[in-house]
Amino acid sequence: MPWALSTAVFVIIWWVLLFAILPFGVRSQHEAESMVPGTDPGAPIRHRLGMKLLVNTGISIILWGVANWAYVTYYLQP
């Protein structure tokens, strides 16, 4: 796979997967009943963004590997 196509495919996979992973494990202040004065009740208590970015990158690498394999073995042709 050419490097430009490879990079574009990885970036697209990474961003689409990020928006799918972001809502997992988020508890709002309203659900936990621990409101901080002056904040929105729907604001997350702990967003754990660093962990989500690491998980997202790992899964994206695996999916990119599958896409690259499919391209190299001519399952997907340009």
Side-chain angles (χ1 to χ4, degrees):
M1 185 181 297
W3 70 270
L5 178 61
S6 178
T7 303
V9 168
F10 181 78
V11 168
I12 290 169
I13 290 171
W14 194 88
W15 277 105
V16 169
L17 193 60
L18 177 66
F19 289 117
I21 287 179
L22 277 177
F24 287 107
V26 176
R27 290 190 57 209
S28 68
Q29 294 179 20
H30 177 70
E31 292 172 339
E33 297 178 2
S34 61
M35 300 289 289
V36 176
T39 61
D40 186 76
I45 295 171
R46 289 185 56 209
H47 53 77
R48 300 181 346 181
L49 189 58
M51 177 61 78
K52 289 180 182 181
L53 291 176
L54 287 174
V55 168
N56 185 42
T57 302
I59 295 172
S60 295
I61 289 171
I62 293 169
L63 291 176
W64 175 84
V66 170
N68 190 33
W69 172 81
Y71 183 86
V72 169
T73 58
Y74 298 107
Y75 283 113
L76 298 175
Q77 295 185 6

